Amino acid sequence: MSTIRLQGGRLYDPTHGIDGVVRDLVLRDGRIVDLPAHEAVDQTIDVTGCIVMAGGIDMHTHIAGGKMNLARLMLPEDHRRGFDPAPLPLNPLELASCGHCAPGTLQTGYSYVKMGYTSAFEPAMAASNARHTHLEMGDVPILDHGAYVMLGNDELLLDMMTRQQPIERIRDYMAWTIHATKALGVKVVNPGGISAFKFNQRRLDVDEAHTHWSVTPRQILQTLARCLQDLGIPHPLHIHTSNLGVPGNIASTLNTIEALEGLPAHLTHVQFHSYGKEGPHKFSSAAVELAEAVNRHANISVDVGQVMFGQTVTISGDTMRQWANAPAGSPRKFGGADIECDAGCGVVPFQYREKSYVNALQWSIGLELFLLIDDPWRVVLTTDHPNGGPFGSYPHLIRLLMDKAFRDEQLARLHPDVAAHAPLREIRRELTLYEIAILTRAGPARLLGLSDKGHLGAGAAADVAVYRVQDDIEAMFTTPAYVFKDGLLVAQAGEIVATPTGGVHFAEPDFDPSIGKTLQSYARRHLTVNPAHAVIGHDELCSCGRGGRLLPTACFPTSPLAA
Ligand SMILES: [Zn+2]
Ligand SMILES: [Zn+2]
């Protein structure tokens, strides 16, 4: 492979504390290398006056799995020419694909890459749907990818906990699940709540008992977080907390942080979990409370799940909460599913409106969280695509975070009660390019344990985005001048110029294989699938990923595992 020198760019590489330093960057054999200035290269690209960052990493975006397909089915209008704001691709490298809030797999890859993103992670893979998820992610061109498997509502785990099985057995079951589904991490959605919904519970707070299994969300959180830590999985428990979207849910969110007792954890789409119930509308911002809690707890990281105005579709494993949200659907549709006593989902199309008090406040709460959490390494830029809005809105969101005057202008257009009283009005902070590089690359790479991603040091994957400096930050981040994936130029000035196949990240924890007996006996009584057939091997994973590279992540167990 050729050696490329990017000459004269201004580098933002927070992993190495590099903040806008003018320096050449050399890409060789898919990696970033140290090469003395006098050594010859095959190609030199002049990027003088441009900003150079590692490729963007979206650590929470619903790009695959059953839910996104249901959303595509429910929103045919999203796939109609003319509805999509993007023009028809005239580039022969781009196969026909479209969609905005529920894009096709091809469109997903093209759109991310054109924006300078090179990795994306599906956060809610149902274990029994893992094959489909890998096939669908593998169909997304260019992007490296991976998925977090859902646990915490599966009947086997709840059954093991109710019968007070030793934590080592539960840990083996978790490790087997990660191994079988080739997951990178574990997500828990509304701990116990998806299961409780099937037993006619319509809410489940952190210390409320499941009517059938008698366990509480607190116990589930502690069990899962501890097992993951013991297994040495780099990404800690990924938590969608109880009571999504409910006014006053800040209490459950703070209780969840406290329930973790210092164990590392990642709280996802926290915007949807930072609501008070003050004021005439009985719905208020609790961003200050959550930000203070995150600032105090170094074990907690978050992604925001920012709300952006316009049409989207909400897709969540949280059947309980999506059932409650169904009447607000626009267009008025709802789909729900449950699979193999394992996990559920609910799909509700939705329009976020500037003049809606609730939506305007949600928008404001998200921005407040970004700006009030002190440590940028523990807050990640997401819209929970497509739940808060499609990922294509990231450049606009970056401008909102970097430009107080622009933010105020937008705020003034919102529902008058929000425009007049939102705590956001008083926040003067404007994020810097260095901080944006943390929120969109360096931070998520570190939180996922991807040591060769998210930075520009020698040995890193040569995933690089080069942005031509413009006064309009939104325009700058919308269309990078150059995007490289593993050292190959894949996009130039908004055009796809190559479509390599991305790789798949997954974790490989150790476990005691005798857990297989438990799985077999449970499956015989309750499931349709033989667990021996559920395991996705390396060859199959490779073929699911259309031959893309397998990228296993090292595990560092903190406690001795069963031999
Ligand atoms: Zn979620
Ligand atoms: Zn999500």
Side-chain angles (χ1 to χ4, degrees):
M1 199 184 244
S2 65
T3 305
I4 303 172
R5 187 191 305 277
L6 303 177
Q7 196 167 52
R10 190 174 291 281
L11 272 52
Y12 287 85
D13 180 10
T15 304
H16 298 101
I18 296 172
D19 183 6
V21 176
V22 175
R23 188 180 290 178
D24 292 357
L25 194 71
V26 180
L27 322 180
R28 174 186 278 169
D29 297 335
R31 297 273 142 186
I32 291 170
V33 293
D34 276 333
L35 198 74
H38 61 268
E39 270 197 52
V41 293
D42 301 300
Q43 188 186 5
T44 298
I45 301 177
D46 181 10
V47 297
T48 308
C50 292
I51 283 163
V52 180
M53 294 184 181
I57 298 173
D58 197 338
M59 72 176 284
H60 189 113
T61 172
H62 297 273
I63 55 169
K67 292 190 287 299
M68 183 41 100
N69 260 349
L70 287 176
R72 290 174 186 131
L73 282 170
M74 279 165 66
L75 286 169
E77 59 271 36
D78 190 49
H79 289 244
R80 201 165 51 191
R81 301 289 186 200
F83 179 85
D84 191 325
L88 263 177
L90 300 170
N91 179 346
L93 276 173
E94 285 188 42
L95 301 172
S97 181
C98 54
H100 186 54
C101 55
T105 49
L106 304 176
Q107 177 77 356
T108 299
Y110 303 148
S111 299
Y112 263 119
V113 168
K114 286 180 190 176
M115 220 168 52
Y117 273 68
T118 50
S119 303
F121 295 88
E122 160 59 46
M125 169 168 71
S128 45
N129 213 25
R131 274 193 173 77
H132 168 92
T133 307
H134 283 290
L135 280 163
E136 197 173 357
M137 289 193 298
D139 202 48
V140 173
I142 311 170
L143 296 181
D144 285 345
H145 51 263
Y148 321 138
V149 65
M150 286 193 280
L151 283 172
N153 286 285
D154 44 313
E155 309 266 300
L156 178 53
L157 178 98
L158 298 173
D159 182 52
M160 287 172 94
M161 286 184 65
T162 304
R163 289 188 292 112
Q164 300 188 327
Q165 295 270 300
I167 187 122
E168 294 77 17
R169 297 305 284 161
I170 295 176
R171 192 177 66 202
D172 284 333
Y173 164 55
M174 172 189 273
W176 177 87
T177 305
I178 293 167
H179 155 76
T181 63
K182 294 294 177 278
L184 180 64
V186 172
K187 185 192 189 195
V188 59
V189 173
N190 186 353
I194 306 174
S195 168
F197 180 75
K198 294 182 277 187
F199 293 88
N200 285 324
Q201 279 177 283
R202 292 295 174 262
R203 49 164 289 151
L204 189 68
D205 211 344
V206 179
D207 289 305
E208 220 168 312
H210 188 299
T211 52
H212 179 75
W213 295 109
S214 72
V215 296
T216 65
R218 179 183 296 266
Q219 293 164 327
I220 296 170
L221 289 163
Q222 289 176 342
T223 303
L224 294 176
R226 188 163 306 284
C227 288
L228 267 174
Q229 190 184 46
D230 289 353
L231 290 170
I233 304 288
H235 186 47
L237 185 61
H238 197 95
I239 306 171
H240 157 145
T241 51
S242 312
N243 291 320
L244 172 128
V246 178
N249 64 8
I250 184 64
S252 339
T253 311
L254 296 177
N255 271 337
T256 299
I257 293 176
E258 181 244 327
L260 290 159
E261 296 176 355
L263 287 164
H266 180 88
L267 269 49
T268 188
H269 45 64
V270 282
Q271 177 279 126
F272 290 107
H273 303 273
S274 301
Y275 302 154
K277 49 183 176 188
E278 316 298 318
H281 301 272
K282 304 269 181 267
F283 185 69
S284 55
S285 170
V288 172
E289 288 94 316
L290 185 71
E292 279 174 0
V294 174
N295 290 341
R296 272 200 316 274
H297 292 83
N299 58 314
I300 300 295
S301 58
V302 305
D303 64 81
V304 170
Q306 174 67 30
V307 152
M308 305 300 271
F309 298 110
Q311 177 71 51
T312 195
V313 53
T314 64
I315 61 178
S316 173
D318 198 337
T319 327
M320 177 190 270
R321 291 305 312 151
Q322 287 292 73
W323 170 254
N325 291 333
S330 173
R332 180 78 164 85
K333 301 181 185 182
F334 169 79
D338 195 83
I339 181 166
E340 288 283 302
C341 309
D342 175 8
C345 82
V347 180
V348 184
F350 197 80
Q351 263 184 62
Y352 291 105
R353 293 177 297 114
E354 291 180 341
K355 299 298 180 201
S356 146
Y357 173 80
V358 169
N359 300 163
L361 194 71
Q362 289 176 306
W363 177 89
S364 180
I365 290 169
L367 295 176
E368 289 161 16
L369 289 165
F370 276 116
L371 298 165
L372 291 171
I373 295 173
D374 295 332
D375 180 2
W377 290 95
R378 293 192 287 121
V379 53
V380 177
L381 186 140
T382 64
T383 55
D384 188 17
H385 165 81
N387 291 315
F391 65 79
S393 58
Y394 286 180
H396 182 79
L397 173 54
I398 291 172
R399 183 168 179 202
L400 289 168
L401 296 171
M402 292 186 68
D403 184 343
K404 162 80 172 153
F406 180 65
R407 204 156 67 215
D408 286 346
E409 220 173 87
Q410 304 298 307
L411 185 58
R413 293 175 14 190
L414 306 189
H415 186 285
D417 290 356
V418 175
H421 303 297
L424 182 63
R425 294 164 65 241
E426 312 304 324
I427 303 176
R428 314 219 69 81
R429 186 175 174 194
E430 293 178 326
L431 297 190
T432 62
L433 283 169
Y434 187 78
E435 288 170 319
I436 293 296
I438 300 173
L439 263 60
T440 55
R441 291 113 162 112
R446 184 176 286 185
L447 293 170
L448 293 173
L450 309 176
S451 55
D452 65 347
K453 291 276 176 80
H455 67 90
L456 300 174
D463 296 350
V464 181
V466 178
Y467 302 95
R468 207 167 293 289
V469 175
Q470 302 184 35
D471 288 339
D472 181 345
I473 287 287
E474 182 174 341
M476 179 178 113
F477 277 103
T478 300
T479 314
Y482 304 97
V483 183
F484 296 87
K485 178 74 186 61
D486 294 313
L488 180 69
L489 182 65
V490 287
Q492 184 170 358
E495 286 281 317
I496 296 291
V497 296
T499 54
T501 303
V504 53
H505 289 279
F506 57 100
E508 294 197 302
D510 283 331
F511 60 94
D512 177 350
S514 71
I515 190 67
K517 288 194 214 97
T518 307
L519 290 159
Q520 285 289 354
S521 105
Y522 170 73
R524 252 196 313 275
R525 285 177 288 127
H526 296 287
L527 304 184
T528 59
V529 179
N530 181 337
H533 301 159
V535 179
I536 301 173
H538 282 186
D539 287 350
E540 188 182 0
L541 184 64
C542 188
S543 76
C544 284
R546 296 168 60 247
R549 286 190 304 147
L550 302 188
L551 304 165
T553 300
C555 296
F556 299 100
T558 53
S559 72
L561 293 172

